[in-house]
Amino acid sequence: MTETLKPDTADQVLDAIKWAAGEGMPLAVRGQGSKEGFGRVVDVPHCLDLTGLSGIKAYEPSELFMTAMAATPMAEIEAALRQNNQHMAFEPPDLGRLYGGGNAKESGATIGGAIACNLAGPRRIQAGAARDHFLGFNAVSGRGEVFKSGGTVVKNVTGFDLSKLLAGSFGTLAVMTELTFKVMPAAEKTRTVLVLGADDSNAMKAMAAALGSSNEVSAAAHLPIAAAAFSNVSYVSGAGKSVTAVRVEGPGPSVEHRCRALAELLKGYGAIEELHSENSGTLWREIRDVRLLADGDNLIWRLSVPPANGGDVVARLGAEIGGRVFYDWGGGLVWLSMGARPHAGHEIIRAAVAAHGGHATLFRAAADVRAQVPVFEPQSDALRDLSVRVKQAFDPKSVLNPGRMVEGV
Amino acid sequence: MTVACKRVNDNLIEALRGIVGDRLSTAVAVRDQHGRDETYHTPHPPDVVVFPDTTDEISRIVTLCAQREVAVIPFGTGTSLEGHIAALQGGVCIDLNRMNGVIRVNAEDMDVVVQAGVTRKQLNEHLRDTGLFFPVDPGADASLGGMAATRASGTNTVRYGTMRENVLALTVVLADGRVIQTSRRARKSAAGYDLTRLFVGSEGTLGVITEVTLRLYGIPEAISAAICTFPDLESAVDTAIRTIQTGVPVARIELLDEVQMEAINKYSNLAYPVQPTLLFEFHGNNAGVVEQAETVEAIAAEFGAAAFQWETKTEDRNRLWQARHDAYYACLALRPGCKGFSTDVCVPISRLAECINETRLDINETGLVAPIVGHVGDGNFHVIVLMDFDDAAEVARAKAFNERLVARALAMDGTCTGEHGVGHGKIEFLTAEHGDAISVMRALKMALDPFNIMNPGKIVSL
C-alpha cells in the first residue's frame, strides 16, 4: 500500500525530501499522474503528490514569460494565455486520450509534468523543444537542498545549464516546485496546405522541400491512408488517400501568400487542398496528441530519426511489424502503433532505427512490458555511466523516482 | 576546499611527445599567447601547449593528465572574455586549431558535423553552395567548439537562438579520457538526461569538446535591413520591445547609442546621425520581409523615430552589419591607446529601457568613456568601458561601475552575463546571482571531474 505525502508549499516539499533522504525512503514523484503510462513504473511505498502546489504566480503578457507552481494544470495556463492571444510555442501535447485508451476525458496534465517529460508538439521543428522554452525553476534536489536556476531572462550563460538538465529528467534529479517559461504571441491566422496521395518516400521529399523553403513552415506531417482515416477533419479522413500536411502561421496576408507559394512548390507531389483555421486546429491537435493512434490498447512506439530517414525506417519495418504509422516533424518523428508481440518487438525496432542514427521510445505499453523492455533507448556504457554520475550528483540516495527512466538508476 | 592540480614535468612532456610528436610547444611566446584572452584579465600561461589532430589523440592526452592530476585547458581561438582560457594552475593547453575539418554536411536533414576547431566563418564559407547557413555570430570568428563550450550567441539570437538551441550533438573527451557521443543524429533526444546541453556552456570544465553537430538553416529567399534613428534611448528600446511583443519574427535588432554611432562613423567612414539607433534585419520570403519591415516601421514611428532607412542592396547591408561587428574595435579608436572592457548584463525586456537609462546616467556621472550596444531583442546589452589598464584609479572606477550595473540587473531579475560567460572573471557574480545552485553545480563538477583537472577555477571553484 502506498503512503502519500501531499505538501502544499515548497517548504513542505523540502521537508518531505529531507525525510526521504535521511531515511533512505524512495519517493514516486507525481503531479496529476496524467503521464504515468510514460516511462517505467516506480514501485515504491511512498508517493510525493505535488497537486497542492498549483497556481499561476506571475503573468504579465507584455513580459513574455509566466511563472507557475509545478502542478498548475496546463488547462488553466492555456486558458490564461488564450485570453491574451498568447501560447506556449512548443505546443505541449495532451496525452490524456493516448494513456486513457482513447477516452475523451481531461488529462489534467500539469506544467511540471510537461517540462519534466520534455514533450513538444508539431511546432518543435520551428520553435524548439519544451526545454528551449524553459527559463528557470525553483527545486529541491534529492540531497534535500533548495536551489534555483535561470530566471526570467531569455538568455544567460551562468554556468551549467541546469534547466536543460531538469527538462526531460522525469523527476529523477530534483523536484521542481515552481517553473518559469516563455510565452509567445499566438499567430493571428493558421492555414494548412494538404498534398493528397503522396507515398511515404515522396512525402518525405515534399516535406523537406517545404521546410527548406522560405515559407516559414511551422509543422509538417504525413499521414498514410490508414492513419488519415482516423481524423475528425472530413477533408483528411474522407480523402481516401494519404495526406501530407504543411502548416503556416502568422498575419493574414503573409499566411495567404505563403500558402500560395507552398501550393505551387508542392503541386508535383499530388493534388493540393487547403485547411483554414478551425480544421487546421483540429488536425494539428490530433497529430500533437497522437489521437490518430490512440484507440484501443495497441503498443505505441515513438521513433526519432534524422528527418529524411523516416520513410526508410518504416519501409524496413513494414514487412516485419505491420501496424499503423504517421510522421511528424518533417519525417523526423515516426509514431507507430502495433499489436502485442514478445518484448514489444523492441529488438527489431531498435535495430531498424539505429541503422539510421535514431532511437526508439516505447511510448505506450502495459506496465509489465515497460518493466521488461527498456522504455528509452539503451545508452552506451560510457553515456550510462555519465548519467549515473549526474543522478548521484543530484540524488545520491536515489530517493527521487528511482528506475523511472532506466532500471537501477 | 581547494583541489590543486600538479604541474607538468619533463616526464609528462616526453609522454605527450609520444602522442603528438613535434606538435607540442613549451616556448614562452606560444605559452603566453595561449594564456591571454582579449581582455584586461591577467594572463596565465599553461606549462605546455599541444596541437592534436584527432579525438583519439586528445583522449590519450587527457588520460595522461588524469593519471598525473595535471590541469587540461581546451583552447579554440582564445577570443573569450572572462579569462576562460587562463591556465590558473598551469597544465596542458589543448589547442584545437588543427582539428578544422568539416566532417559531413547533411543537406537534407539540415545539419553538419564539424571538428571543434572549425571557425564560424570557415563553416559558412564551406556551406556557401548548399543554400544553407549557420546563424550564430559572436563578434569574433570563434571556433565552433569554443562557441559550444561557452554557449555563445550573436546578433540574431532573437530569431535563431544561441548555441544552446543549435548544437544537436557533441563528441566529448571526458575527464578520465573516455570519449562519448552525447546524442545520435536524430533531432530529438529522449534517451536519457540532456548531456548535450550540460556540456554546452560548461566552459571546458567537464570535458574537451572535439566534434560538434550543428543545426543549419536555409538561406532566406529575401533579406533586408533597416536603420532607424531615435530622439532618445528610451524610444529606441521601446520600439525594440514592442517589436518582440508583437511577434514580428525579426532576425536582428541591435541598439547602438550615440557614442557608439560616433565611433562607428569615424572607424568605418560612415555618416549616420549621431543619435540612438536601431539596426534591423529581416529574413523571409519577399512578401514576408516587406510586411515585417512595414510593421516595424509603423511601431518605430509611434515612438518618434526620425527616419527609417531601408538597405536592400547586399553591399549596403553588409557594410551596415560589418560596422556593427566592428563596434568593439571602433570603440577602441575613440580613445587610442586604451583597451575596452565589456559588461554583459541581460534583463527581462520589460525592464530593459529602465536598466539602460539608469546605466547611461551612471556612466555620465562616473565620467567614463563608455558606448552602449545591445542585442535588445534579448534584453542583453554591453557597455564598452574604454580605459587605460595601467591607470589603477580608472580600473577601480570601471570595476565599481560594473558591480553597480550587475547589482542593478540582478535587482531587476536579470543576469550578470547574457553571453560572455563566467570564466574566472565572474565567479563572484555567479555566487551573488545563484547562491544555492552553486552547490549543485559543484556536485556535478565533482561527479564528472573528481580530480578537478578540467579547466580548473572556472565557473565553480573547488
Side-chain angles (χ1 to χ4, degrees), chain A residues 340-362:
Chain A
R341 54 190 295 151
H343 299 287
H346 82 108
E347 283 175 348
I348 302 168
I349 287 175
R350 290 203 153 113
V353 171
H356 291 275
H359 51 76
T361 306
L362 180 55

Side-chain angles (χ1 to χ4, degrees), chain B residues 76-77 79 97 100 102 112 114-128 132-148 152-156 163 214 216 252 321-322 324-326 329:
Chain B
T77 53
T79 49
N97 276 293
N100 64 351
V102 175
V112 62
V114 298
Q115 288 187 309
V118 173
T119 68
R120 65 174 182 88
K121 285 187 183 169
Q122 185 195 339
L123 173 61
N124 279 326
E125 276 294 303
H126 185 95
L127 293 172
R128 211 173 35 187
L132 299 170
F133 80 111
F134 181 69
V136 183
D137 64 338
D141 184 20
S143 71
L144 291 158
M147 285 168 61
S153 46
T155 55
N156 49 33
M163 288 303 273
L214 296 164
L216 301 175
R252 292 166 158 161
W321 285 104
Q322 189 57 44
R324 167 62 189 92
H325 273 297
D326 290 339
Y329 303 101

Side-chain angles (χ1 to χ4, degrees), chain A residues 62-63 124-125 131 148 152 155-157 159 161 164 172 185 214 254 304 306 308 357-359 376 379 385 389, chain B residues 109 151 164 178 184 186 188 190-191 193-194 205 215 221 245 291 348 350 378 380 415 417 419 421 436-437 447:
Chain A
S62 64
E63 310 254 7
R124 186 188 192 289
I125 49 176
R131 62 166 176 264
K148 63 175 190 160
T152 54
K155 79 180 188 194
N156 69 67
V157 275
D161 202 341
K164 301 296 174 276
T172 62
S214 285
S254 153
S304 198
H359 51 76
F376 299 101
Q379 295 178 304
D385 175 63
R389 290 202 222 177
Chain B
D109 292 332
R151 211 189 297 150
R164 164 153 64 196
R178 281 191 298 178
R184 298 185 181 175
K188 175 74 187 69
Y193 300 135
D194 190 348
T205 62
R215 180 174 176 187
E221 173 188 308
Q245 286 170 344
E291 187 181 79
S350 58
D378 322 318
N380 182 212
T415 174
T417 177
E419 56 186 23
D436 305 327

Side-chain angles (χ1 to χ4, degrees), chain A residues 65 148 150-153, chain B residues 346-348 351 407-415 433:
Chain A
F65 70 80
K148 63 175 190 160
T152 54
V153 294
Chain B
C346 184
V347 294
R351 307 297 294 273
R408 186 177 304 128
L410 295 188
M412 293 180 181
D413 243 352
T415 174
E433 187 173 330

Side-chain angles (χ1 to χ4, degrees), chain A residues 80-266:
Chain A
L81 293 173
R82 244 191 325 269
Q83 280 185 355
N84 293 287
N85 292 319
Q86 293 189 330
H87 67 169
M88 285 177 272
F90 62 98
E91 228 176 343
D94 178 345
L95 300 174
R97 281 166 193 260
L98 187 74
Y99 289 120
N103 296 327
K105 62 169 185 162
E106 283 282 320
S107 76
T110 63
I111 183 66
I115 298 292
C117 297
N118 190 35
L119 288 169
R123 205 183 287 107
R124 186 188 192 289
I125 49 176
Q126 187 191 47
R131 62 166 176 264
D132 297 321
H133 296 260
F134 180 35
L135 296 173
F137 62 84
N138 290 359
V140 181
S141 73
R143 293 174 180 268
E145 291 173 348
V146 174
F147 67 109
K148 63 175 190 160
S149 178
T152 54
V153 294
V154 295
K155 79 180 188 194
N156 69 67
V157 275
T158 43
F160 305 143
D161 202 341
L162 303 179
S163 301
K164 301 296 174 276
L165 204 50
L166 256 61
S169 67
F170 288 76
T172 62
L173 299 178
V175 174
M176 294 185 278
T177 53
E178 189 177 298
L179 298 88
T180 299
F181 47 94
K182 282 189 219 179
V183 300
M184 307 287 274
E188 182 187 312
K189 204 166 224 178
T190 302
R191 287 269 195 283
T192 304
V193 175
L194 304 179
V195 181
L196 306 183
D199 62 22
D200 287 9
S201 161
N202 277 326
M204 299 298 123
K205 290 180 188 143
M207 290 190 286
L211 289 167
S213 74
S214 285
N215 295 305
E216 292 173 49
V217 169
S218 76
H222 173 63
L223 317 179
I225 186 165
F230 279 79
S231 175
N232 283 322
V233 178
S234 58
Y235 292 100
V236 176
S237 53
K241 292 176 178 169
S242 74
V243 174
T244 310
V246 174
R247 180 174 69 183
V248 287
E249 299 171 296
S254 153
V255 165
E256 279 159 25
H257 175 91
R258 285 181 280 148
C259 270
R260 279 196 299 276
L262 282 165
E264 184 62 28
L265 178 72
L266 301 176

